[in-house]
Amino acid sequence: MTNSQYIVIVGCGRLGSILANRLSSDGNSIVVIDQDEQHFSKLSTAFSGFRVVGDAVESAILKRAKTDQADCFFAVTDQDNINLMVAQIAKEIFQVPTVLARVYDPAREQSYRDLGITTISPTQLSAQAFLDNLKQGVQV
């Protein structure tokens, strides 16, 4: 990554912490929001960003994270409905240029796209990886 960006990540589970650690080590400014302060223990000691404890559905929490200044916003909790809600708020209210949301249920992807939110589906990615390995003759 060549230019430093301001990135807000909602959810500090396995995915959120990996994203935060890597993006931080690449020199980006990162704010991670999570309701459970203990989840921040997944961040590396080299993580140089900020941590916000709270419910990202609440506008005050997103304001505390300075979401209005974000270049990118990632909604990566383990709950599709929360990811959709906070992604919509980031896009519509805070006018974040790039908003990505994790969605487990592939049937929900189209409704996210209809709202202009880019989705990443671990279910779809895993299915494709299985199919690709099957085509290559690798036993799964």
Side-chain angles (χ1 to χ4, degrees), residues 71-94:
D71 299 302
C72 300
F73 185 93
F74 297 158
V76 296
T77 73
D78 60 359
Q79 298 181 38
D80 286 355
N81 288 337
I82 289 176
N83 290 341
L84 176 58
M85 185 179 298
V86 297
Q88 277 185 284
I89 293 169
K91 185 167 187 64
E92 299 299 326
I93 295 175
F94 292 97

PDB file of all heavy atoms in Angstrom, residues 71-94:
ATOM      1  N   ASP A  71     -11.272   7.092   5.241  1.00  0.00           N
ATOM      2  CA  ASP A  71     -11.177   6.778   3.814  1.00  0.00           C
ATOM      3  C   ASP A  71     -11.863   5.449   3.522  1.00  0.00           C
ATOM      4  O   ASP A  71     -12.396   5.248   2.444  1.00  0.00           O
ATOM      5  CB  ASP A  71      -9.702   6.664   3.390  1.00  0.00           C
ATOM      6  CG  ASP A  71      -8.941   7.956   3.612  1.00  0.00           C
ATOM      7  OD1 ASP A  71      -9.359   8.983   3.053  1.00  0.00           O
ATOM      8  OD2 ASP A  71      -7.941   7.938   4.365  1.00  0.00           O
ATOM      9  N   CYS A  72     -11.774   4.547   4.495  1.00  0.00           N
ATOM     10  CA  CYS A  72     -12.348   3.210   4.337  1.00  0.00           C
ATOM     11  C   CYS A  72     -13.040   2.797   5.633  1.00  0.00           C
ATOM     12  O   CYS A  72     -12.633   3.218   6.720  1.00  0.00           O
ATOM     13  CB  CYS A  72     -11.262   2.165   4.057  1.00  0.00           C
ATOM     14  SG  CYS A  72     -10.320   2.446   2.583  1.00  0.00           S
ATOM     15  N   PHE A  73     -14.047   1.945   5.476  1.00  0.00           N
ATOM     16  CA  PHE A  73     -14.792   1.445   6.634  1.00  0.00           C
ATOM     17  C   PHE A  73     -15.056  -0.030   6.409  1.00  0.00           C
ATOM     18  O   PHE A  73     -15.611  -0.415   5.377  1.00  0.00           O
ATOM     19  CB  PHE A  73     -16.125   2.198   6.750  1.00  0.00           C
ATOM     20  CG  PHE A  73     -16.935   1.866   7.964  1.00  0.00           C
ATOM     21  CD1 PHE A  73     -16.821   2.600   9.117  1.00  0.00           C
ATOM     22  CD2 PHE A  73     -17.831   0.808   7.940  1.00  0.00           C
ATOM     23  CE1 PHE A  73     -17.577   2.309  10.238  1.00  0.00           C
ATOM     24  CE2 PHE A  73     -18.602   0.506   9.053  1.00  0.00           C
ATOM     25  CZ  PHE A  73     -18.466   1.257  10.206  1.00  0.00           C
ATOM     26  N   PHE A  74     -14.634  -0.865   7.351  1.00  0.00           N
ATOM     27  CA  PHE A  74     -14.846  -2.308   7.249  1.00  0.00           C
ATOM     28  C   PHE A  74     -15.783  -2.752   8.366  1.00  0.00           C
ATOM     29  O   PHE A  74     -15.501  -2.516   9.543  1.00  0.00           O
ATOM     30  CB  PHE A  74     -13.541  -3.089   7.399  1.00  0.00           C
ATOM     31  CG  PHE A  74     -12.513  -2.817   6.342  1.00  0.00           C
ATOM     32  CD1 PHE A  74     -11.181  -3.083   6.585  1.00  0.00           C
ATOM     33  CD2 PHE A  74     -12.854  -2.333   5.092  1.00  0.00           C
ATOM     34  CE1 PHE A  74     -10.211  -2.864   5.622  1.00  0.00           C
ATOM     35  CE2 PHE A  74     -11.898  -2.097   4.117  1.00  0.00           C
ATOM     36  CZ  PHE A  74     -10.569  -2.364   4.382  1.00  0.00           C
ATOM     37  N   ALA A  75     -16.880  -3.411   7.998  1.00  0.00           N
ATOM     38  CA  ALA A  75     -17.807  -3.982   8.972  1.00  0.00           C
ATOM     39  C   ALA A  75     -17.599  -5.485   8.969  1.00  0.00           C
ATOM     40  O   ALA A  75     -18.020  -6.173   8.042  1.00  0.00           O
ATOM     41  CB  ALA A  75     -19.244  -3.630   8.605  1.00  0.00           C
ATOM     42  N   VAL A  76     -16.912  -5.993   9.990  1.00  0.00           N
ATOM     43  CA  VAL A  76     -16.506  -7.402   9.988  1.00  0.00           C
ATOM     44  C   VAL A  76     -16.879  -8.127  11.274  1.00  0.00           C
ATOM     45  O   VAL A  76     -16.173  -9.026  11.721  1.00  0.00           O
ATOM     46  CB  VAL A  76     -14.990  -7.550   9.691  1.00  0.00           C
ATOM     47  CG1 VAL A  76     -14.664  -7.056   8.299  1.00  0.00           C
ATOM     48  CG2 VAL A  76     -14.134  -6.824  10.730  1.00  0.00           C
ATOM     49  N   THR A  77     -18.022  -7.756  11.869  1.00  0.00           N
ATOM     50  CA  THR A  77     -18.474  -8.520  13.026  1.00  0.00           C
ATOM     51  C   THR A  77     -18.964  -9.885  12.527  1.00  0.00           C
ATOM     52  O   THR A  77     -19.013 -10.135  11.325  1.00  0.00           O
ATOM     53  CB  THR A  77     -19.632  -7.811  13.767  1.00  0.00           C
ATOM     54  OG1 THR A  77     -20.829  -7.924  12.992  1.00  0.00           O
ATOM     55  CG2 THR A  77     -19.313  -6.343  14.029  1.00  0.00           C
ATOM     56  N   ASP A  78     -19.356 -10.747  13.459  1.00  0.00           N
ATOM     57  CA  ASP A  78     -19.869 -12.054  13.050  1.00  0.00           C
ATOM     58  C   ASP A  78     -21.389 -12.042  12.863  1.00  0.00           C
ATOM     59  O   ASP A  78     -22.011 -13.088  12.793  1.00  0.00           O
ATOM     60  CB  ASP A  78     -19.443 -13.134  14.043  1.00  0.00           C
ATOM     61  CG  ASP A  78     -19.939 -12.877  15.455  1.00  0.00           C
ATOM     62  OD1 ASP A  78     -20.609 -11.842  15.687  1.00  0.00           O
ATOM     63  OD2 ASP A  78     -19.664 -13.704  16.327  1.00  0.00           O
ATOM     64  N   GLN A  79     -21.964 -10.841  12.769  1.00  0.00           N
ATOM     65  CA  GLN A  79     -23.413 -10.726  12.604  1.00  0.00           C
ATOM     66  C   GLN A  79     -23.745  -9.901  11.360  1.00  0.00           C
ATOM     67  O   GLN A  79     -23.426  -8.701  11.305  1.00  0.00           O
ATOM     68  CB  GLN A  79     -24.029 -10.085  13.845  1.00  0.00           C
ATOM     69  CG  GLN A  79     -23.814 -10.932  15.102  1.00  0.00           C
ATOM     70  CD  GLN A  79     -24.439 -10.311  16.315  1.00  0.00           C
ATOM     71  OE1 GLN A  79     -25.513  -9.744  16.245  1.00  0.00           O
ATOM     72  NE2 GLN A  79     -23.741 -10.418  17.435  1.00  0.00           N
ATOM     73  N   ASP A  80     -24.385 -10.540  10.396  1.00  0.00           N
ATOM     74  CA  ASP A  80     -24.716  -9.879   9.131  1.00  0.00           C
ATOM     75  C   ASP A  80     -25.549  -8.619   9.336  1.00  0.00           C
ATOM     76  O   ASP A  80     -25.311  -7.602   8.683  1.00  0.00           O
ATOM     77  CB  ASP A  80     -25.476 -10.834   8.200  1.00  0.00           C
ATOM     78  CG  ASP A  80     -24.578 -11.898   7.582  1.00  0.00           C
ATOM     79  OD1 ASP A  80     -23.349 -11.853   7.784  1.00  0.00           O
ATOM     80  OD2 ASP A  80     -25.131 -12.782   6.905  1.00  0.00           O
ATOM     81  N   ASN A  81     -26.542  -8.682  10.209  1.00  0.00           N
ATOM     82  CA  ASN A  81     -27.429  -7.526  10.386  1.00  0.00           C
ATOM     83  C   ASN A  81     -26.671  -6.312  10.927  1.00  0.00           C
ATOM     84  O   ASN A  81     -26.902  -5.181  10.492  1.00  0.00           O
ATOM     85  CB  ASN A  81     -28.598  -7.871  11.314  1.00  0.00           C
ATOM     86  CG  ASN A  81     -29.593  -8.790  10.641  1.00  0.00           C
ATOM     87  OD1 ASN A  81     -29.671  -8.845   9.411  1.00  0.00           O
ATOM     88  ND2 ASN A  81     -30.344  -9.528  11.432  1.00  0.00           N
ATOM     89  N   ILE A  82     -25.768  -6.548  11.859  1.00  0.00           N
ATOM     90  CA  ILE A  82     -24.976  -5.428  12.397  1.00  0.00           C
ATOM     91  C   ILE A  82     -24.054  -4.885  11.309  1.00  0.00           C
ATOM     92  O   ILE A  82     -23.937  -3.670  11.140  1.00  0.00           O
ATOM     93  CB  ILE A  82     -24.178  -5.874  13.641  1.00  0.00           C
ATOM     94  CG1 ILE A  82     -25.151  -6.080  14.795  1.00  0.00           C
ATOM     95  CG2 ILE A  82     -23.108  -4.844  14.005  1.00  0.00           C
ATOM     96  CD1 ILE A  82     -24.523  -6.603  16.055  1.00  0.00           C
ATOM     97  N   ASN A  83     -23.431  -5.789  10.555  1.00  0.00           N
ATOM     98  CA  ASN A  83     -22.545  -5.326   9.489  1.00  0.00           C
ATOM     99  C   ASN A  83     -23.303  -4.467   8.477  1.00  0.00           C
ATOM    100  O   ASN A  83     -22.805  -3.421   8.047  1.00  0.00           O
ATOM    101  CB  ASN A  83     -21.888  -6.520   8.789  1.00  0.00           C
ATOM    102  CG  ASN A  83     -20.883  -7.220   9.679  1.00  0.00           C
ATOM    103  OD1 ASN A  83     -20.405  -6.654  10.657  1.00  0.00           O
ATOM    104  ND2 ASN A  83     -20.572  -8.458   9.359  1.00  0.00           N
ATOM    105  N   LEU A  84     -24.502  -4.906   8.108  1.00  0.00           N
ATOM    106  CA  LEU A  84     -25.295  -4.131   7.155  1.00  0.00           C
ATOM    107  C   LEU A  84     -25.668  -2.773   7.728  1.00  0.00           C
ATOM    108  O   LEU A  84     -25.522  -1.746   7.064  1.00  0.00           O
ATOM    109  CB  LEU A  84     -26.562  -4.898   6.768  1.00  0.00           C
ATOM    110  CG  LEU A  84     -27.519  -4.140   5.850  1.00  0.00           C
ATOM    111  CD1 LEU A  84     -26.833  -3.737   4.547  1.00  0.00           C
ATOM    112  CD2 LEU A  84     -28.754  -4.965   5.560  1.00  0.00           C
ATOM    113  N   MET A  85     -26.106  -2.758   8.976  1.00  0.00           N
ATOM    114  CA  MET A  85     -26.546  -1.504   9.584  1.00  0.00           C
ATOM    115  C   MET A  85     -25.401  -0.491   9.686  1.00  0.00           C
ATOM    116  O   MET A  85     -25.536   0.656   9.258  1.00  0.00           O
ATOM    117  CB  MET A  85     -27.138  -1.761  10.971  1.00  0.00           C
ATOM    118  CG  MET A  85     -27.732  -0.524  11.603  1.00  0.00           C
ATOM    119  SD  MET A  85     -28.446  -0.838  13.226  1.00  0.00           S
ATOM    120  CE  MET A  85     -29.715  -2.015  12.803  1.00  0.00           C
ATOM    121  N   VAL A  86     -24.268  -0.919  10.213  1.00  0.00           N
ATOM    122  CA  VAL A  86     -23.168   0.043  10.391  1.00  0.00           C
ATOM    123  C   VAL A  86     -22.556   0.439   9.046  1.00  0.00           C
ATOM    124  O   VAL A  86     -22.102   1.572   8.878  1.00  0.00           O
ATOM    125  CB  VAL A  86     -22.089  -0.461  11.381  1.00  0.00           C
ATOM    126  CG1 VAL A  86     -22.680  -0.643  12.765  1.00  0.00           C
ATOM    127  CG2 VAL A  86     -21.412  -1.721  10.910  1.00  0.00           C
ATOM    128  N   ALA A  87     -22.577  -0.477   8.091  1.00  0.00           N
ATOM    129  CA  ALA A  87     -22.067  -0.137   6.761  1.00  0.00           C
ATOM    130  C   ALA A  87     -22.950   0.924   6.107  1.00  0.00           C
ATOM    131  O   ALA A  87     -22.447   1.866   5.484  1.00  0.00           O
ATOM    132  CB  ALA A  87     -22.001  -1.394   5.887  1.00  0.00           C
ATOM    133  N   GLN A  88     -24.256   0.777   6.258  1.00  0.00           N
ATOM    134  CA  GLN A  88     -25.173   1.790   5.727  1.00  0.00           C
ATOM    135  C   GLN A  88     -24.947   3.142   6.387  1.00  0.00           C
ATOM    136  O   GLN A  88     -24.936   4.172   5.719  1.00  0.00           O
ATOM    137  CB  GLN A  88     -26.625   1.378   5.977  1.00  0.00           C
ATOM    138  CG  GLN A  88     -27.180   0.420   4.972  1.00  0.00           C
ATOM    139  CD  GLN A  88     -28.652   0.189   5.261  1.00  0.00           C
ATOM    140  OE1 GLN A  88     -28.992  -0.522   6.190  1.00  0.00           O
ATOM    141  NE2 GLN A  88     -29.494   0.806   4.485  1.00  0.00           N
ATOM    142  N   ILE A  89     -24.794   3.149   7.686  1.00  0.00           N
ATOM    143  CA  ILE A  89     -24.569   4.405   8.414  1.00  0.00           C
ATOM    144  C   ILE A  89     -23.264   5.057   7.944  1.00  0.00           C
ATOM    145  O   ILE A  89     -23.215   6.259   7.695  1.00  0.00           O
ATOM    146  CB  ILE A  89     -24.540   4.158   9.944  1.00  0.00           C
ATOM    147  CG1 ILE A  89     -25.925   3.733  10.429  1.00  0.00           C
ATOM    148  CG2 ILE A  89     -24.055   5.388  10.695  1.00  0.00           C
ATOM    149  CD1 ILE A  89     -25.960   3.210  11.860  1.00  0.00           C
ATOM    150  N   ALA A  90     -22.221   4.250   7.810  1.00  0.00           N
ATOM    151  CA  ALA A  90     -20.932   4.786   7.359  1.00  0.00           C
ATOM    152  C   ALA A  90     -21.058   5.386   5.961  1.00  0.00           C
ATOM    153  O   ALA A  90     -20.521   6.464   5.689  1.00  0.00           O
ATOM    154  CB  ALA A  90     -19.868   3.688   7.375  1.00  0.00           C
ATOM    155  N   LYS A  91     -21.764   4.713   5.092  1.00  0.00           N
ATOM    156  CA  LYS A  91     -21.881   5.167   3.711  1.00  0.00           C
ATOM    157  C   LYS A  91     -22.809   6.376   3.588  1.00  0.00           C
ATOM    158  O   LYS A  91     -22.453   7.365   2.960  1.00  0.00           O
ATOM    159  CB  LYS A  91     -22.392   4.029   2.836  1.00  0.00           C
ATOM    160  CG  LYS A  91     -22.438   4.376   1.363  1.00  0.00           C
ATOM    161  CD  LYS A  91     -22.634   3.139   0.536  1.00  0.00           C
ATOM    162  CE  LYS A  91     -22.525   3.439  -0.940  1.00  0.00           C
ATOM    163  NZ  LYS A  91     -21.219   3.900  -1.342  1.00  0.00           N
ATOM    164  N   GLU A  92     -23.981   6.297   4.193  1.00  0.00           N
ATOM    165  CA  GLU A  92     -24.994   7.334   3.993  1.00  0.00           C
ATOM    166  C   GLU A  92     -24.819   8.550   4.903  1.00  0.00           C
ATOM    167  O   GLU A  92     -24.953   9.675   4.452  1.00  0.00           O
ATOM    168  CB  GLU A  92     -26.395   6.736   4.189  1.00  0.00           C
ATOM    169  CG  GLU A  92     -26.725   5.624   3.225  1.00  0.00           C
ATOM    170  CD  GLU A  92     -26.700   6.061   1.763  1.00  0.00           C
ATOM    171  OE1 GLU A  92     -27.068   7.220   1.472  1.00  0.00           O
ATOM    172  OE2 GLU A  92     -26.296   5.246   0.911  1.00  0.00           O
ATOM    173  N   ILE A  93     -24.534   8.332   6.157  1.00  0.00           N
ATOM    174  CA  ILE A  93     -24.467   9.457   7.095  1.00  0.00           C
ATOM    175  C   ILE A  93     -23.062  10.053   7.160  1.00  0.00           C
ATOM    176  O   ILE A  93     -22.891  11.264   7.122  1.00  0.00           O
ATOM    177  CB  ILE A  93     -24.948   9.026   8.500  1.00  0.00           C
ATOM    178  CG1 ILE A  93     -26.432   8.654   8.394  1.00  0.00           C
ATOM    179  CG2 ILE A  93     -24.717  10.125   9.543  1.00  0.00           C
ATOM    180  CD1 ILE A  93     -27.043   8.096   9.640  1.00  0.00           C
ATOM    181  N   PHE A  94     -22.051   9.179   7.240  1.00  0.00           N
ATOM    182  CA  PHE A  94     -20.682   9.676   7.369  1.00  0.00           C
ATOM    183  C   PHE A  94     -19.965   9.831   6.031  1.00  0.00           C
ATOM    184  O   PHE A  94     -18.842  10.309   5.996  1.00  0.00           O
ATOM    185  CB  PHE A  94     -19.884   8.773   8.319  1.00  0.00           C
ATOM    186  CG  PHE A  94     -20.361   8.846   9.738  1.00  0.00           C
ATOM    187  CD1 PHE A  94     -21.230   7.910  10.256  1.00  0.00           C
ATOM    188  CD2 PHE A  94     -19.951   9.882  10.556  1.00  0.00           C
ATOM    189  CE1 PHE A  94     -21.682   7.972  11.562  1.00  0.00           C
ATOM    190  CE2 PHE A  94     -20.387   9.973  11.879  1.00  0.00           C
ATOM    191  CZ  PHE A  94     -21.264   9.022  12.382  1.00  0.00           C
TER     192      PHE A  94
END
